[in-house]
Every structure is written in structure tokens, then in C-alpha cells.
Amino acid sequence: MIISLLKKYKIGYRTFKTAVAVSLGITVAQLCNLDFFVSSAIITILCVQNSKRKSLHSAFARFVACMLAIPFSYVFFELIGYKPYAIGLLLLLFIPATVLLKVNEGVVTSTVIILHIYSAGNINMAVIENEFALIVIGIGAALLVNSYMPSLDKEMKTYQKKIEKDFQEMLQGMVEFLRTNEIAFDYKQKLTQTAKEVQIAKSLAYRDVENHFTRKENYYYKYFTIREKQLEIIEGLFAKVTTVSSLSEQRHSIADFLEELSLCVHPGNTAQLFLSKLERLEEEIRTQDLPQDWDLFAEQAQLYYVLKELEQYLKVKKSLKVAYN
């Protein structure tokens, strides 16, 4: 029974790191004979983040806020006294001060320090040293476990393959419609599903950027951003393609182009090759006689729009200049 329940709940990497960091922080604080040594756990938990950059930013904000809390406590408690309302008055000024310094992320942590000083009933060098040690140990334990982040490459490559497969299916769906006026799957559902996958993939890629202090962008983040833009174009393309029911010759020419394009959805950049083919296709259609019937003329205009959107689709992919490994 217990084993079956445990299988339903997966322990995440961040949860594991938090448990290790808390144990480490409390152990060190206890070995140092610090008062309120268990409170180091609160500081540690709040500093463990899902990326190195976020963890460092969180640690800095909490350290500054905690250091600010000590002189605030001294002024208010020594002037007003160690009374409950003194804490309220202190926070009325302390919280805006952290917001002004952009370290309000550390309000909860620094409140713990304030309450320690209040509980001690006085503030002297021993109390200050004790609180400083708790802050350093708590933050240090969090930064130590966060110094290693697992590679996200495997997950990002998995999503890359999923998204490319979805793109192939959607392009094939348009091919099918242009040739038969029918489509075998729910196109809107596929668009929604792919959009969710792209967002998850982008968040993973962003985390990967956040785990490297000198990196502002990486291949995968750029790649998924481009796929996101292309997905918007595909959505508009399908809306236009489904309005055309005649002009079989032009429809089949575009279907042939889309079919070839669907077979080349991969990380490599073949955009220039397909732009050249698209230009020839556009020229071929342009040289054909214009329909005399208004409805057919309107449909040909829609097909011309499709060509222009395909051009934009390829130009977006062409902008992917980051080297692929």
C-alpha cells in the first residue's frame, strides 16, 4: 500500500536538494552551538531555487535584507522597548525600505532575524554574531547544493523531437486538405497541444540559460522561440487554406511544396533552399491567367496569401543562426 502510494508521488530534484541543504545547514549551525540553530532551515529553504542565477539573486536579496533587519531592530527595540507593537512599527518602515532597495524577497527571512532579537530581549555583539552566523550558514548551504544543476539537454531534445513531429503532422494535414478537402485529425487540438509543448520547452531552455552566469541565450531557447513564431503562422495558414475549395491545379502545386517541406522539419536550416523553391512556385502561379469568376479570383488571392505566409515561415527559420550541436 505504502509503496503504491510512493510511486504516485515523484520526488523532484529541487525537493531532494532542499532536504539535503536543510540537514546540512542545521547540522553546521548546531555544531557551532548557535541559538535558534533550527531557523537556519528557513533561510536555506527560501534560498534553494530551480536555477543557479535565481539562487544567487535570492541569496543576495535575503542577505541584504537580514543585515538591514539588525540595525532596524536595534533602533526600534532599544528606543520603544521589546513590545509586540514595536515589531509592528518596525515592519511598517522596514518592508518599504526593502522594496526601495529591491530586496523585498528577503522580508520573510529577515523577519525571522527580527523575531530572534525580540525573543532574546536585548541586542549585543553576541546576538549579532549569532544571527550573522545563521544567515551565512543558511545561505551557504543553499548555494552549495545549488552549485550543481543537472543538464536539461536530454529533456530539451525530447521536446524538440515532439514539436518537429507535430509540425510535420500539421503540414501534412494541410497537404491532405488541399488534395481532398478533408483532414483526418482535429487540427485545432493539435495546435493547442503543440503550443503547450513549445511553452514548456521554452521554460526549460530559459532555466538552462539561468544556470549559466555568462550565457544570455542558448540554441534551444532561440530554436523554441522560432518554433513558437512559426506555429502562429501555421495557425493562420490553415485558416486560409480551408477557405479554398477550387483551383485544383494551384492547390496541388502548393500541396506538393508543403509535402516536401514537411519532410524537412528538423534542426538543420534548409530555409534558403525552400525560399528559392517557393519563389519559383510563386512565379509559376503568377504567370497563369487570372480567373474571370469573382469567387475563383478571391480564392486565388487567398492562395497568394498562403504563399506569402509560407515565405514568412521560412524567413523566421532562416534567422536561426546559433550553431547546432
Side-chain angles (χ1 to χ4, degrees), residues 252-306:
H252 279 80
S253 295
I254 294 174
D256 291 342
F257 177 83
L258 283 170
E259 185 172 39
E260 188 178 356
L261 183 62
S262 71
L263 298 174
C264 294
V265 178
H266 52 66
N269 202 332
T270 55
Q272 187 55 53
L273 173 64
F274 279 97
L275 280 169
S276 300
K277 291 183 178 183
L278 184 64
E279 187 178 349
R280 290 195 293 271
L281 175 59
E282 186 178 336
E283 183 62 29
E284 178 187 322
I285 294 176
R286 191 186 292 117
T287 56
Q288 296 173 359
D289 294 333
L290 290 173
Q292 298 303 309
D293 181 87
W294 172 255
D295 290 335
L296 291 178
F297 180 80
E299 287 193 7
Q300 181 148 331
Q302 294 286 54
L303 286 179
Y304 187 72
Y305 174 87
V306 167

Side-chain angles (χ1 to χ4, degrees), residues 52-69:
K52 290 181 182 179
R53 196 174 294 180
K54 283 184 180 179
S55 184
L56 190 62
H57 178 270
S58 177
F60 174 77
R62 295 181 198 287
F63 181 79
V64 172
C66 288
M67 290 297 98
L68 189 65

Side-chain angles (χ1 to χ4, degrees), residues 7-220:
K7 287 180 179 179
K8 293 181 180 179
Y9 300 100
K10 183 180 178 181
I11 298 176
Y13 190 74
R14 182 177 173 182
T15 302
F16 176 75
K17 289 198 301 181
T18 301
V20 172
V22 166
S23 300
L24 177 64
I26 292 177
T27 300
V28 174
Q30 190 170 8
L31 288 174
C32 293
N33 293 318
L34 298 178
D35 294 330
F36 311 109
F37 61 84
V38 292
S39 295
S40 63
I42 299 173
I43 301 171
T44 302
I45 290 171
L46 293 172
C47 287
V48 175
Q49 302 292 322
N50 59 5
S51 73
K52 290 181 182 179
R53 196 174 294 180
K54 283 184 180 179
S55 184
L56 190 62
H57 178 270
S58 177
F60 174 77
R62 295 181 198 287
F63 181 79
V64 172
C66 288
M67 290 297 98
L68 189 65
I70 295 174
F72 263 80
S73 298
Y74 178 81
V75 171
F76 277 83
F77 293 149
E78 291 298 319
L79 291 180
I80 300 174
Y82 290 81
K83 307 293 182 182
Y85 61 83
I87 297 176
L89 292 172
L90 188 160
L91 293 176
L92 281 175
L93 290 179
F94 177 73
I95 293 175
T98 61
V99 173
L100 185 65
L101 295 173
K102 297 181 180 180
V103 293
N104 49 303
E105 188 179 346
V107 168
V108 175
T109 312
S110 52
T111 301
V112 173
I113 302 302
I114 292 168
L115 293 176
H116 285 176
I117 296 172
Y118 176 81
S119 298
N122 67 84
I123 184 167
N124 51 41
M125 189 54 65
V127 172
I128 293 173
E129 288 176 354
N130 186 85
E131 298 309 306
F132 180 78
L134 284 176
I135 296 165
V136 171
I137 291 170
I139 292 176
L143 290 178
L144 182 64
V145 298
N146 255 17
S147 62
Y148 171 74
M149 288 288 178
S151 174
L152 298 172
D153 281 2
K154 186 177 179 180
E155 289 180 76
M156 290 189 290
K157 284 179 181 178
T158 298
Y159 273 103
Q160 184 182 47
K161 290 177 181 178
K162 282 183 182 178
I163 292 165
E164 286 172 358
K165 185 179 178 182
D166 288 343
F167 269 59
Q168 288 174 341
E169 290 177 3
M170 287 185 289
L171 290 173
Q172 283 289 348
M174 280 191 275
V175 171
E176 184 181 347
F177 186 88
L178 285 168
R179 288 175 177 167
T180 65
N181 279 335
E182 295 179 356
I183 188 166
F185 60 90
D186 188 335
Y187 206 88
K188 290 184 178 179
Q189 184 180 0
K190 176 63 71 174
L191 280 166
T192 302
Q193 173 194 324
T194 308
K196 288 180 180 178
E197 289 172 355
V198 170
Q199 287 305 313
I200 295 171
K202 273 188 71 177
S203 67
L204 284 172
Y206 184 75
R207 274 176 56 193
D208 187 61
V209 173
E210 290 280 288
N211 283 333
H212 299 83
F213 297 115
T214 58
R215 182 186 297 175
K216 293 183 179 180
E217 196 174 76
N218 66 1
Y219 168 82
Y220 284 109

